[in-house]
Amino acid sequence: MRTRKTPRTKYHSYNDGETLAPWRESLNTVVFGSETPMGKAFDVVLSISIVLSVIVIMLESVEAFQTRHAQALNIIEWFFTLLFTLEYGLRLISVRRPWQYFKSFFGLVDLVSVLPSYLILLFPGAQPMLAIRILRLLRVFRILKLSAYMDEAEIMMMALNKSLRKIMVFLYAVLMLVVVFGSLVYVVESREAGFTSIPRSVYWAIVTLTTVGYGDISPQTPLGQLLASTIMIMGYGIIAVPTGIYSAELIRTHSKEKVRNDACPGCGRTGHDFDAGFCKYCGHELEH
């Protein structure tokens, strides 16, 4: 039987296989595609729903708001739960390899986003509240569903991976600095000032170097204050280093990844050059 890949901005193997019934193919294009008006509308509505549902979960954790609007929050939460349950069911129905989708990252995220609300119903009131809180916390992971609509995140992750080694060397140098400065301050300052051990002094050095400055402990002697001033000045220069490394790598990666995200009408694959007129996989003419 003829096989087909659904046009998508990102290719997934669980959506590759035998052609489904016409109504399931149409549903597949809407649910997993983003090139059609219906597919774009589906993605937009789903993304907005995810953000709103996470906001509702956060509001539930505010005691004053929860006490005043408990019933409304519960109704809204169940609305989103039923909505995401429907979406999960539609994906399982329309995908060509349901079991493979079920085991995939996005499949597990979709499941975790709806499962806790139903599991909470199984816990009687006498159960420890900690268990219920853990289940409610899992609903926050709905925000991970947004990663399916962030193709640019892949470029950012590639740049981070390529710059990781340089950043690790930088962090190693920073670690040596805070250990040295922390040890020096431990020797210079008195125990009454809060520098009771080298680890605590290293903690102070980290807080100072990052320009956070909690103020829970601070040097009292002139020499200690001189060391603190040196760390503060170094902190302003050091903070910009990893940002510069990552930004440079991001620019290089982005320049290499200048490809079109629209899928080939023939095979559904993406990744073509911006000026390409034909698909580099099947030779089908690309739309402009």
Side-chain angles (χ1 to χ4, degrees):
M1 182 174 288
R2 183 171 63 92
T3 61
R4 178 175 176 268
K5 302 183 182 77
T6 296
R8 273 194 56 80
T9 58
K10 189 171 180 60
Y11 174 75
H12 293 292
S13 59
Y14 53 69
N15 213 12
D16 183 18
E18 296 182 353
T19 303
L20 304 173
W23 68 273
R24 293 178 66 185
E25 284 291 342
S26 300
L27 184 60
N28 185 290
T29 302
V30 173
V31 174
F32 287 95
S34 59
E35 287 76 25
T36 64
M38 288 292 293
K40 291 179 181 179
F42 181 87
D43 287 351
V44 170
V45 171
L46 183 59
S47 299
I48 294 175
S49 299
I50 294 169
V51 173
L52 291 178
S53 69
V54 173
I55 292 175
V56 170
I57 295 169
M58 291 180 177
L59 290 176
E60 284 182 339
S61 66
V62 180
E63 185 174 355
F65 201 91
Q66 165 68 17
T67 303
R68 186 178 304 177
H69 306 286
Q71 185 176 0
L73 289 173
N74 187 55
I75 294 174
I76 295 173
E77 167 55 29
W78 271 106
F79 168 78
F80 284 122
T81 297
L82 295 176
L83 179 65
F84 294 136
T85 302
L86 175 62
E87 179 234 345
Y88 183 57
L90 291 177
R91 291 188 182 275
L92 288 177
I93 293 174
S94 61
V95 75
R96 297 190 178 86
R97 296 182 179 179
W99 178 244
Q100 191 170 351
Y101 173 75
F102 176 80
K103 298 186 298 181
S104 68
F105 170 77
F106 292 123
L108 293 176
V109 169
D110 289 340
L111 180 62
V112 171
S113 68
V114 299
L115 195 59
S117 296
Y118 295 109
L119 291 178
I120 290 174
L121 296 177
L122 302 178
F123 284 81
Q127 291 291 337
M129 288 300 297
L130 178 60
I132 298 179
R133 285 180 180 177
I134 291 175
L135 291 176
R136 290 186 179 276
L137 177 62
L138 289 176
R139 294 179 302 172
V140 177
F141 285 89
R142 287 175 184 167
I143 201 71
L144 293 176
K145 288 163 65 67
L146 289 176
S147 60
Y149 311 104
M150 296 172 58
D151 294 334
E152 291 78 6
E154 185 174 354
I155 297 178
M156 297 179 65
M157 291 304 298
M158 289 175 60
L160 180 61
N161 184 55
K162 292 179 180 178
S163 59
L164 183 61
R165 192 169 183 176
K166 297 177 184 177
I167 294 177
M168 291 302 296
V169 172
F170 165 78
L171 291 177
Y172 177 70
V174 171
L175 179 62
M176 290 191 297
L177 281 176
V178 295
V179 171
V180 170
F181 276 102
S183 301
L184 289 174
V185 173
Y186 171 73
V187 173
V188 171
E189 291 295 327
S190 63
R191 307 299 172 266
E192 289 75 15
F195 297 90
T196 55
S197 65
I198 292 181
R200 184 162 177 79
S201 300
V202 170
Y203 153 78
W204 167 86
I206 294 173
V207 171
T208 306
L209 186 67
T210 56
T211 69
V212 176
Y214 289 131
D216 48 351
I217 55 176
S218 59
Q220 303 299 321
T221 64
L223 185 55
Q225 292 172 353
L226 177 62
L227 288 172
S229 301
T230 303
I231 297 178
M232 293 175 194
I233 294 173
M234 291 179 59
Y236 283 107
I238 287 177
I239 289 175
V241 174
T243 304
I245 293 174
Y246 178 68
S247 299
E249 195 61 51
L250 184 62
I251 293 173
R252 283 195 292 267
T253 302
H254 187 265
S255 63
K256 295 178 181 178
E257 294 295 324
K258 286 185 176 180
V259 295
R260 296 171 53 174
N261 287 326
D262 56 321
C264 170
C267 65
R269 301 297 294 272
T270 60
H272 307 95
D273 296 336
F274 276 117
D275 57 351
F278 297 88
C279 176
K280 60 183 178 182
Y281 301 105
C282 69
H284 194 282
E285 184 177 2
L286 298 176
E287 298 179 355
H288 294 280

